[in-house]
Amino acid sequence: MAANPRVVSLAPSATAVLDAAGLDAHVVGATVHSPTDKPVVGGWLNPDFDRVDELDADAVCTCDDLQSDVAAAARDRGYDVVHVAPATLAEVFDSFPVVCDAAGDAGAGATLAEDCRDHLARVADAVAGRDRPTVYCEEWADPPMAAGNWVPDLVRAAGGSAPLVAPGERSAEVDPETVAAADPDHVILHPCGKGERGDPEAFEARGWNLDASVHAVDDSLLNQPSPAVVSGVDRLARLLHPDADLPEPWEPATATPTESDEGK
């Protein structure tokens, strides 16, 4: 490990983790999908490794099984690759020290993870004993996809229930009959890569005839395995339990907007 590691983040989640942990100074490049002013090194699935070479990186961060080929290509070029692929909320938090170790400070990641867990414990206390509304989280519209991975965990942390996909499982295509049978109280639209551009009116126009409130939520708050998920729980808790005595929304000391256009 270099004394002052230079990190190129090929995953928006890694960029967000390093920023929230106070390690942004180590990031010397990131993909176009990360909200940062660092030099751009291409896209999530098509990084420009010649540009990475120019930045003299010591380590490269990747995330998710979809980036496995990118991680392999980086290793082939001789880079130390820090690759994480969390599937549950617990694994998201466990990944923070791993990512931060790329910048030489796994402890900062552990501290960040503990802060996130502590905040969610306060949310859990605020919604304890309340009825858990049923939630359909839609990650994609055509075809309709019920969100999986850590999103069902986020719904539960916010005081709800997401019965269509088990925590840790990949997002799954669903049909109107399956969603109707779940009888959701809330529909959360967070199409991947669309920010807050979910369209409740377009959803209502499908004629699914659900007796549910429909909300658009910034996809990065739910889809990105970074500290953004804590803000996602805050957002969901306020939708599901608007009269609960919830803690103030969580923000890291070095918060940077987390909206993403693509990738994890």
Side-chain angles (χ1 to χ4, degrees), residues 137-156:
C137 289
E138 186 173 276
E139 187 179 90
W140 198 247
D142 186 19
M145 302 283 291
N149 292 322
W150 50 84
V151 174
D153 288 327
L154 302 185
V155 173
R156 181 164 185 81

Side-chain angles (χ1 to χ4, degrees), residues 189-200 215-221 223 235 239 258-261:
L189 305 177
H190 55 110
C192 189
K194 301 296 184 182
E196 292 185 277
R197 298 189 292 277
D199 190 343
H215 319 273
V217 172
D218 186 338
D219 82 287
S220 68
L221 300 183
N223 298 343
R235 176 83 169 103
L239 292 173
T258 55
E259 182 175 347
S260 63
D261 290 320

Side-chain angles (χ1 to χ4, degrees), residues 119-130 157-159 237 241 243-247:
H119 182 82
L120 293 193
R122 292 193 291 274
V123 174
D125 287 342
V127 300
R130 291 172 167 264
H241 300 286
D243 59 341
D245 185 18
L246 293 160

Side-chain angles (χ1 to χ4, degrees), residues 40-105:
V40 173
V41 295
W44 190 56
L45 294 178
N46 57 340
D48 181 349
F49 280 114
D50 289 338
R51 181 67 174 128
V52 177
D53 293 342
E54 292 172 0
L55 294 171
D56 193 25
D58 298 300
V60 169
C61 291
T62 55
C63 179
D64 196 78
D65 291 342
L66 292 176
Q67 271 199 315
S68 294
D69 289 345
V70 172
R75 291 190 189 96
D76 288 345
R77 295 180 77 104
Y79 290 108
D80 288 333
V81 176
V82 175
H83 181 79
V84 296
T88 65
L89 180 58
E91 291 174 2
V92 170
F93 293 153
D94 288 345
S95 74
F96 294 175
V98 179
V99 172
C100 291
D101 192 45
D105 194 349

Side-chain angles (χ1 to χ4, degrees), residues 158-231:
S161 173
L164 290 169
V165 181
E169 293 185 356
R170 282 287 189 178
S171 301
E173 186 174 344
V174 292
D175 55 40
E177 294 75 22
T178 300
V179 177
D183 193 21
D185 302 291
H186 295 269
V187 172
I188 306 296
L189 305 177
H190 55 110
C192 189
K194 301 296 184 182
E196 292 185 277
R197 298 189 292 277
D199 190 343
E201 290 186 2
F203 182 85
E204 297 283 7
R206 296 180 196 173
W208 284 16
N209 296 319
L210 303 177
D211 184 16
S213 300
V214 183
H215 319 273
V217 172
D218 186 338
D219 82 287
S220 68
L221 300 183
L222 303 182
N223 298 343
Q224 185 187 95
S226 78
V229 297
V230 182
S231 297

